[in-house]
Amino acid sequence: QVQLVESGGGSVQAGGSLRLSCAAFGYTDSIYCMAWFRQAPGKSREWVARINTDSSTTYADSVNGRFTISQDNAKNTLYLQMNSLKPEDTAMYYCAADFLASNCRVKSFNYWGQGTQVTVSS
């Protein structure tokens, strides 16, 4: 089992930056990948970025070049640095984790945090 706790959300003006954190607890040594998702009101959940244990990363086209996913293994913490924020980035952001490479490849995660709200005003 893994427990995930996000923090770092808030309100910012367009063009600003925020850094989200996700602390992992439990069987963290068994995690193969972690990811960030987001969900805006009235919209379906959207995958944002993923990082594997080898630190390889992938990004959604909508955030590529503006967001950076990283991890601090010593602190069991996942980060999402968000720069050049846009109003359309407004959403609840969730971190997710899984033990299986097969689940990671299809973006199907078994462990989720409770979310942290990001609001970007124009």
Side-chain angles (χ1 to χ4, degrees):
Q1 293 284 346
V2 171
Q3 295 78 43
L4 303 172
V5 180
E6 302 99 331
S7 62
S11 298
V12 64
Q13 290 192 327
S17 298
L18 281 174
R19 188 177 81 156
L20 306 183
S21 299
C22 173
F25 304 92
Y27 292 103
T28 57
D29 288 346
S30 297
I31 294 175
Y32 181 83
C33 75
M34 298 187 74
W36 288 98
F37 286 76
R38 65 186 181 185
Q39 187 166 20
K43 295 188 177 181
S44 58
R45 188 171 60 194
E46 174 189 22
W47 169 77
V48 173
R50 186 186 76 203
I51 187 166
N52 293 337
T53 53
D54 63 1
S55 295
S56 60
T57 58
T58 53
Y59 296 91
D61 289 344
S62 57
V63 306
N64 197 21
R66 299 188 298 122
F67 290 10
T68 303
I69 189 171
S70 63
Q71 58 191 4
D72 184 333
N73 291 327
K75 296 181 179 179
N76 293 322
T77 301
L78 177 74
Y79 301 101
L80 186 68
Q81 178 66 43
M82 305 185 294
N83 298 329
S84 303
L85 282 162
K86 304 175 181 179
E88 51 264 44
D89 294 319
T90 295
M92 184 72 77
Y93 282 71
Y94 300 90
C95 71
D98 208 274
F99 298 153
L100 301 177
S102 56
N103 288 344
C104 293
R105 279 194 294 270
V106 298
K107 302 182 181 69
S108 176
F109 294 85
N110 282 303
Y111 301 101
W112 294 85
Q114 82 290 346
T116 186
Q117 178 68 38
V118 172
T119 302
V120 184
S121 58
S122 58

